[in-house]
Amino acid sequence: MSKTYPLMRLYRAGNPQKRKPSGRKFIPPKAIFYLDQKASLDSTFAAIKRSSEALEQDISVEKDPRAVIPERALVFELIGSVEKFETAAASLGFEWLCSEQVPNGTDANWGPQKEDEGEGLTESDQLLMEDDPEDQIEGDDSSSSSNLYLTMPTKQGLKSLIEHWKKYARGDNASSEAEKAWWALFGYLKDVRTWSAQDRVESVVADYIRHILNHYPDQPVTVELDLWFRATITERVAAMATLKDLLASEQAEILDTVLIEEIKYHAVLVRVPAGIARALAERHGGIANANGIMTIRAQSIGDPLPELAPITNTLSNIPAPSDKPCIGAILDGYPIAGHQLLDGRLIVLEKDVGAVDVPVDARFHGTAMASLVLHGDLNAPGVPQARKLAVVPVLTKVRDKESTPTDKLPVGMIYRAIKTLIAGTEDGAIKPEQIVVINHSICNRYAPFAGRPSPWAALLDHFSHKHNMLFVVSAGNIEEGMPLRTDHIDVEEFLEEDPLVRTVAVMQATQKSRYLRSLLTPAESVNGLTVGALHIDHSGAVPSPHYDPYPEHEMAALYSASGPGINRSIKPDLVEAGGRCIGSLYEGRDGPAISARGIAHVGQRTAAPDPYTGEVNLTSLSFGTSNAAALVTRTALQLADVVEPVYEQDDESWCTRRTRAVILKALIAHSCRWGDIATVLNTVFAPAGARKRSKRGASISCFLGYGRPDPARVASGNDNRITLLADDEIAHDKLHEYRIPIPKAILTSKEIRRIVITLAWSSPVSVDHADYRGMTLALANKDGKAEIWNRVKRTTKTLSQPDSYASARGTLTHVILEGDTRTTFNDKDGLFIGVQARATRKKFQKEISVPYALAVTIELASNARSTTVYEEVSEAIRLRERERQQDRSKVRT
């Protein structure tokens, strides 16, 4: 009988402790001298005063877009964050709307200021700053140092604002706590203005409208209007009434309205005449300047249907699905449920989209995603997923694309689809709250992430945290090409270059163009796992004369959207094979350019519909970040089968735990590595130089996240390697202590020792604040510092993992520690690893707890002689658990 090395469960040591601050004090930027502010902003406040006086005299100034009036959002732009501003604004009669951070390319690196300790960075940022002094010198050219605070003023509020400014500009001392907050705001104030059409209609929306009108010049255009979310029903009704009057005057038609209080989302889907749309694209007209509208968004459109012809494939000997509970689902297109690969394996739940709404020739995407989740790439067959898979269709055929219906708001459809999954089925096939993993391989191709969390992402984050779900989200496919930025005159000359030179040129082009190829919403979700695609499949060589951009490298695919995410967090979280494309070369404005294009010879093989004869054994080839996300969903379900027996040993049900989703999230990320491609990119990406590795690492993580998962590494160990798994719930300002047994083999071996630590959690989110995450967690040693063990260091110098600052900005921290220096270890309790939590805002301090999971792997290099790492660690943990159970028994007695 072969020896097994299963995943081991790790338990917390003792009761929760008080969080241990790092000791690093936050030093904010120096406030601007009041006389300088007076010189800079006095004319602005004079204009506000004129508006206020006109209102007092009942003089209408509504036609002046610069006038500050009630029902028009007022924007305070600051060079940093000012604590208590929300409270101060309310004290002057301003209704709080939201705040957000705006990237401006400076080196400032600070966020919300803590009241008790003055700490500005997230705690993880502060802890990790100590790791690499050289990297600190570089700064961060993508930092967010400009904060927007949006309020809705009242007449009295405007009057009070002017009075406070006068006192501040005279140099008077603040006489109350509220005035102290305003004085701080005035000291950091960069600008104050009204929310305008420039804010309301972003350039990507204008481009979308022009794109539609170029193809259909006389047809109406559909757009989404996000309204300011008002606190009371009375205000919402009044806002809707005003909007309806405006839309009627513009001859616009309301198609759908959605109100989701959980994420403060109030939106209207409207169809506007072509002429009105043109004005909207130019930021003119009533809709562009409507005070009640916060943002105008492009109507969501899905990916085009594949042009690849289905290929006949004989399928046989497929084992039947088991009777294990269905815990996975996909939100996607309507699948061919009777396909030979899918028959008896799907549970279709219809909500907004039914079978009658979707013709067979529009069932490619849902069929392909279900096939990948259940079977993987059919060119590299694996064991079929044993559990059945739930499907809630949300796509139909719109012109030549699979898309959400044109008369429905997609956020509302996703909301109803998730609620349908949570409710379960009447026949008991899916019980309430049974679904854990949801594949979300759809994006809004006309809504790239631009710093502000979208309502779509907020919706996924809300359900993730409240209902313990793991959303696996595709990063998005980028159709637009990019300049190669080479010295070549034309494409023909480029193709005559050495293959390695061409590959390097494409890699450098992707890095230089990454900010123009950002994630597509809702890929910025902080609680979900966002997946990018690698240029990998099993379909054979790219046939001549087509150009393969990466013939020898597992590089991020040309079509895969790049990060970073919210507040510069690491996104995508990871990458997986998404199928290869070819590089379509063409003459751009400034020389050779390249874009991704599919051909009928490469890609991942999946089940496919036959729109002509109705055959149910056909397959086709496709590629995309959708495919990569589906494969990660498959990995999550495979790891669920690994985790389940670990908890059954303790007579517990993993699937009912609040930590169930973050356990899978932690294990998937824990198995990730950058691999050899990081070494290549370290030599290719700019900027060059040893002291610039942090910036190169940040660039690499924009494409690879934490790397590609290898679930086999965490599913079981070997003599040299053991993986431990802990999960718990932690409250604000608490620290949980874990003790890791250090085996003698680690201490005596001359080989490289490696400790890999992954911390994943789920956070409540605040959609109206720049601190979108409600709770941040950090790894710490006994003293609250980031250094876990002085004989193993974070491997930033070898670029085997992302930049240390960015890794602390999401809800996932993945650290690889390595060393080969012999040492003694005298702590009989084992290596201390702390998990500590801090709420980012006061309202989240009342959150009872947040779920988290901690995965730790201890290993020696693979070339080490046979050791007893697994045996020693597992035995120490079993002994510790027996003692714990005995102590519990004594207490009960």
Side-chain angles (χ1 to χ4, degrees):
M1 185 176 179
S2 61
K3 190 174 180 180
T4 59
Y5 305 87
L7 188 68
M8 285 284 301
R9 195 171 175 189
L10 180 68
Y11 296 90
R12 174 162 49 88
N15 296 321
Q17 306 169 30
K18 174 76 173 176
R19 181 176 66 89
K20 299 177 180 179
S22 67
R24 183 180 294 275
K25 298 299 182 181
F26 165 64
I27 302 176
K30 186 177 180 180
I32 303 172
F33 188 48
Y34 79 93
L35 288 177
D36 293 331
Q37 289 293 68
K38 175 181 172 62
S40 174
L41 296 171
D42 222 19
S43 60
T44 300
F45 280 95
I48 295 175
K49 181 182 178 183
R50 287 193 295 272
S51 297
S52 178
E53 291 172 345
L55 290 171
E56 289 290 330
Q57 299 173 28
D58 292 327
I59 299 174
S60 176
V61 292
E62 288 188 8
K63 292 184 179 181
D64 181 358
R66 297 166 298 177
V68 180
I69 61 174
E71 303 305 317
R72 184 173 291 168
L74 188 62
V75 181
F76 294 89
E77 186 173 350
L78 278 63
I79 60 173
S81 173
V82 176
E83 189 68 27
K84 299 183 180 179
F85 178 56
E86 180 178 347
T87 303
S91 71
L92 295 189
F94 286 38
E95 181 188 352
W96 179 260
L97 295 176
C98 65
S99 71
E100 61 179 273
Q101 291 182 333
V102 180
N104 68 352
T106 71
D107 284 343
N109 189 11
W110 62 295
Q113 186 173 348
K114 285 199 61 185
E115 297 173 28
D116 53 347
E117 298 168 23
E119 297 176 354
L121 295 170
T122 65
E123 184 171 48
S124 298
D125 274 352
Q126 293 179 0
L127 296 177
L128 292 168
M129 278 175 67
E130 301 169 5
D131 287 353
D132 196 338
E134 291 184 2
D135 284 345
Q136 294 178 43
I137 298 172
E138 299 171 20
D140 186 345
D141 63 356
S142 63
S143 293
S144 295
S145 65
S146 182
N147 292 269
L148 303 185
Y149 292 84
L150 287 80
T151 67
M152 198 73 80
T154 62
K155 289 183 180 181
Q156 182 58 42
L158 291 175
K159 185 177 180 180
S160 298
L161 175 65
I162 297 301
E163 291 173 354
H164 280 73
W165 170 258
K166 285 181 178 179
K167 292 176 65 177
Y168 168 82
R170 288 198 305 263
D172 294 355
N173 293 323
S175 59
S176 66
E177 288 299 316
E179 284 192 348
K180 287 180 182 179
W182 279 100
W183 267 226
L185 178 139
F186 291 145
Y188 290 118
L189 191 60
K190 184 177 180 181
D191 190 18
V192 56
R193 58 183 174 80
T194 57
W195 190 257
S196 69
Q198 292 294 121
D199 303 293
R200 208 167 278 119
V201 186
E202 295 180 353
S203 58
V204 67
V205 179
D207 291 342
Y208 156 79
I209 294 173
R210 295 188 189 105
H211 174 80
I212 296 297
L213 292 176
N214 284 340
H215 287 80
Y216 310 99
D218 299 320
Q219 291 192 16
V221 177
T222 303
V223 292
E224 302 174 16
L225 309 180
D226 288 358
L227 308 186
W228 295 109
F229 188 85
R230 307 306 298 266
T232 68
I233 295 177
T234 302
E235 290 173 319
R236 294 174 206 161
V237 171
M240 275 300 299
T242 301
L243 179 64
K244 287 179 179 178
D245 290 342
L246 169 64
L247 295 177
S249 68
E250 301 281 337
Q251 298 180 332
E253 176 188 4
I254 295 179
L255 303 176
D256 192 17
T257 302
V258 172
L259 174 69
I260 304 175
E261 294 200 42
E262 297 97 318
I263 59 170
K264 298 185 177 181
Y265 176 70
H266 191 187
V268 180
L269 185 67
V270 301
R271 183 180 291 138
V272 299
I276 300 298
R278 286 190 180 89
L280 189 56
E282 300 304 320
R283 300 181 174 89
H284 298 316
I287 297 177
N289 291 282
N291 294 327
I293 298 173
M294 177 178 68
T295 306
I296 298 172
R297 300 180 186 275
Q299 161 68 340
S300 302
I301 296 179
D303 293 326
L305 296 173
E307 298 177 358
L308 312 177
I311 304 169
T312 303
N313 188 43
T314 303
L315 306 167
S316 60
N317 301 320
I318 303 174
S322 71
D323 57 358
K324 282 188 171 184
C326 170
I327 61 170
I330 65 174
L331 306 179
D332 213 280
Y334 211 107
I336 302 296
H339 193 284
Q340 189 173 339
L341 281 165
L342 310 179
D343 191 24
R345 297 176 180 274
L346 301 181
I347 304 172
V348 180
L349 293 76
E350 295 184 353
K351 186 61 179 178
D352 284 293
V353 175
V356 296
D357 303 315
V358 190
V360 174
D361 65 353
R363 297 192 183 187
F364 275 91
H365 205 268
T367 301
M369 295 307 104
S371 176
L372 285 166
V373 172
L374 292 170
H375 301 281
D377 184 348
L378 296 175
N379 282 330
V383 178
Q385 176 57 228
R387 302 174 191 261
K388 290 184 178 180
L389 183 68
V391 182
V392 184
V394 293
L395 304 180
T396 186
K397 186 175 182 179
V398 179
R399 296 192 179 100
D400 61 340
K401 297 174 175 60
E402 282 190 84
S403 173
T404 52
T406 57
D407 61 346
K408 293 183 183 296
L409 283 160
V411 175
M413 292 186 67
I414 298 299
Y415 176 79
R416 293 186 291 271
I418 298 171
K419 295 283 280 186
T420 298
L421 289 171
I422 292 170
T425 58
E426 292 183 0
D427 61 3
I430 301 175
K431 293 182 172 57
E433 303 279 355
Q434 182 176 300
I435 298 297
V436 183
V437 184
I438 300 179
N439 188 79
H440 190 289
S441 285
I442 48 180
C443 297
N444 186 348
R445 60 185 292 217
Y446 282 108
F449 169 64
R452 182 193 309 160
S454 66
W456 199 333
L459 182 73
L460 302 187
D461 289 331
H462 165 75
F463 278 113
S464 294
H465 183 67
K466 184 175 181 180
H467 294 281
N468 313 314
M469 292 173 158
L470 176 62
F471 288 91
V472 181
V473 187
S474 55
N477 298 335
I478 305 299
E479 296 180 0
E480 292 75 16
M482 57 186 171
L484 285 173
R485 305 172 191 269
T486 67
D487 296 329
H488 300 91
I489 298 173
D490 55 27
V491 169
E492 184 176 348
E493 184 182 354
F494 176 78
L495 287 172
E496 290 173 355
E497 268 288 6
D498 180 82
L500 180 59
V501 173
R502 294 199 305 259
T503 299
V504 169
V506 176
M507 288 179 175
Q508 290 175 336
T510 60
Q511 186 207 20
K512 293 173 182 177
S513 301
R514 67 189 184 277
Y515 293 119
L516 302 175
R517 301 165 64 84
S518 57
L519 305 169
L520 301 185
T521 57
E524 73 273 21
S525 162
V526 297
N527 285 332
L529 275 179
T530 301
V531 184
L534 291 173
H535 184 74
I536 301 174
D537 60 43
H538 300 275
S539 58
V542 173
S544 181
H546 298 296
Y547 174 58
D548 186 345
Y550 305 122
E552 298 179 359
H553 298 286
E554 295 186 352
M555 176 60 180
L558 281 181
Y559 53 80
S560 188
S562 58
I566 297 169
N567 291 332
R568 308 179 316 284
S569 60
I570 289 177
K571 287 289 175 178
D573 296 284
L574 54 123
V575 285
E576 183 53 279
R580 289 174 298 160
C581 64
I582 65 166
S584 178
L585 296 165
Y586 61 96
E587 298 297 342
R589 184 175 57 185
D590 300 314
I594 190 170
S595 63
R597 185 166 67 84
I599 59 173
H601 302 282
V602 295
Q604 294 171 324
R605 188 174 299 282
T606 67
D610 180 359
Y612 308 109
T613 65
E615 294 290 330
V616 292
N617 65 340
L618 300 185
T619 62
S620 66
L621 297 172
S622 63
F623 66 87
T625 58
S626 295
N627 295 30
L631 291 181
V632 172
T633 299
R634 174 176 169 81
T635 295
L637 295 175
Q638 290 170 334
L639 287 174
D641 290 335
V642 172
V643 168
E644 196 170 51
V646 174
Y647 286 83
E648 287 176 348
Q649 293 175 1
D650 295 331
D651 295 324
E652 294 183 46
S653 171
W654 158 80
C655 201
T656 60
R657 295 179 68 82
R658 193 178 173 211
T659 54
R660 62 185 190 175
V662 291
I663 287 173
L664 299 182
K665 180 177 174 180
L667 289 178
I668 293 170
H670 191 65
S671 71
C672 286
R673 298 291 186 276
W674 272 359
D676 296 338
I677 188 62
T679 304
V680 176
L681 297 180
N682 188 34
T683 63
V684 170
F685 278 5
R691 294 172 68 84
K692 301 296 183 181
R693 61 179 173 271
S694 177
K695 287 189 177 183
R696 290 196 300 278
S699 289
I700 293 172
S701 67
C702 286
F703 296 96
L704 303 181
Y706 289 108
R708 186 183 186 186
D710 179 9
R713 287 187 60 84
V714 297
S716 64
N718 57 36
D719 284 335
N720 290 2
R721 184 182 75 245
I722 184 171
T723 297
L724 311 174
L725 173 66
D727 68 298
D728 210 326
E729 299 174 35
I730 190 168
H732 163 68
D733 220 26
K734 297 298 181 183
L735 178 144
H736 288 182
E737 174 184 340
Y738 292 91
R739 291 291 187 156
I740 312 299
I742 299 298
K744 293 179 181 178
I746 288 283
L747 301 176
T748 58
S749 175
K750 295 181 180 179
E751 303 293 340
I752 293 219
R753 62 184 61 85
R754 183 179 296 110
I755 300 177
V756 182
I757 309 170
T758 305
L759 174 65
W761 68 98
S762 170
S763 173
V765 294
S766 181
V767 298
D768 59 356
H769 202 274
D771 282 333
Y772 182 64
R773 294 178 307 168
M775 191 81 76
T776 178
L777 271 59
L779 297 169
N781 63 16
K782 289 181 180 179
D783 302 318
K785 309 294 184 183
E787 189 175 71
I788 301 298
W789 188 13
N790 61 3
R791 294 299 182 177
V792 286
K793 297 285 187 179
R794 188 180 175 97
T795 57
T796 52
K797 291 180 174 59
T798 58
L799 274 182
S800 63
Q801 59 188 305
D803 167 72
S804 59
Y805 298 108
S807 68
R809 296 183 184 125
T811 57
L812 188 61
T813 298
H814 182 58
V815 179
I816 303 173
L817 307 169
E818 288 184 349
D820 58 4
T821 306
R822 289 195 191 188
T823 183
T824 55
F825 187 83
N826 300 320
D827 194 332
K828 62 180 179 59
D829 294 326
L831 178 67
F832 183 105
I833 296 180
V835 174
Q836 51 186 11
R838 178 177 64 84
T840 60
R841 298 182 69 199
K842 276 190 172 181
K843 75 174 188 177
F844 291 119
Q845 293 178 9
K846 298 178 181 178
E847 181 93 6
I848 297 175
S849 61
V850 298
Y852 73 88
L854 176 70
V856 181
T857 291
I858 303 174
E859 66 178 317
L860 282 177
S862 57
N863 59 342
R865 295 181 179 180
S866 179
T867 68
T868 57
V869 169
Y870 188 96
E871 182 180 337
E872 286 188 58
V873 174
S874 59
E875 181 54 36
I877 288 176
R878 290 190 190 98
L879 177 61
R880 186 188 297 169
E881 179 57 16
R882 285 196 292 269
E883 292 173 349
R884 188 174 73 95
Q885 294 291 354
Q886 290 172 1
D887 291 341
R888 283 186 172 183
S889 298
K890 290 178 181 178
V891 171
R892 286 195 294 268
T893 303

